[in-house]
Amino acid sequence: MCFFLNRICRTTIQTFATGLVAVMMTNAQAQQDELFSSLRGTSVFDTVTATTTSGTSAASRVTSIDDVASLLRTAGFETTTLDGRLVSTSKEQDPWTFPVLVEISDDERHLIVSLGLAVVKDAKEVPAATWIGMLTANQKHPSIQFAYNPDRTRTEVICQIPNAGVDGLTLRDKINQLAILARDTDSVWKLESPKSSPASESPDSSLTNPAPPAVEPDSASLSSLTGRWSAARSASEAFAAEFKADGSFVLVHVSQGKQTRTTGSFSVRGTTLTLSGDGLTLSGSFLSKGDDAFDFTPANTNAAINFKRAK
């Protein structure tokens, strides 16, 4: 009798436990489905109410260009402040002497270091192979960007440093890194044309007689970008973006059913579109294709994303 009672009790307990696990799994699946449905149904253009940050404390940021100059001097560089927005210095990396500019980004989230390469008086005189070589180098070194600056009439190699706890050693190491990279890739950017010469062999006009030290935002491009846009790379990957007149943006990336939302500020300088926000800085080539379409090619890729205006 006791044997049968024990067996009945064990059977009852096992049945109850199995049912309890099934209920818990059903509830968990229901919660997961509800979360997925909520995410899937959320409009990518909903007003962003939560304030997102990159985790950088404002108190740890460098906000004064004089402080940037001071950091460089502590690292052993001689500095000159230009127009209250840029600090100029130079870096010797045998056999070159590279002019260097450091500035604070508009949103104060990054320090931008630009190392001058070749002086270019007329961009039309630069061989196509040089531009292609620089674009190829961008793919090999995604954390930096080879670019042409029309206001400073030179090619440059540029990088951004997160503006969080930056000290003189951080700046020195980054400048050294850029200088070594520039030296080792001189076959890419070095020009033989008499109308353009290496930055180390010709005075950099932006240091001695600066024009506006930074490319001013392209107001026409900013205006043409205002609105909502979408782009699809495949059946399972798509982008949606809203650019606002105040310079802010919302970007949503959907891939394999997963959705990522990024917010921040954007700027257009020449043919470069830069998105900064949520710990992300994305820069690339911007090509307007009329009022209802544009191509965006991120700096570390060679595949354009084709955006069309959302109706």
Side-chain angles (χ1 to χ4, degrees), residues 127 160 264:
Q160 296 189 358

Side-chain angles (χ1 to χ4, degrees), residues 93-96 98 115 117 133 137 140-141 146 157 176-190:
Q93 192 70 46
D94 188 53
W96 308 109
F98 298 104
L115 187 145
L117 300 176
K140 294 180 180 179
H141 308 281
F146 286 86
V157 59
N176 289 345
Q177 178 186 353
L178 289 182
I180 292 171
L181 177 63
R183 179 200 63 191
D184 293 344
T185 58
D186 63 358
S187 61
V188 172
W189 55 263
K190 186 171 62 175

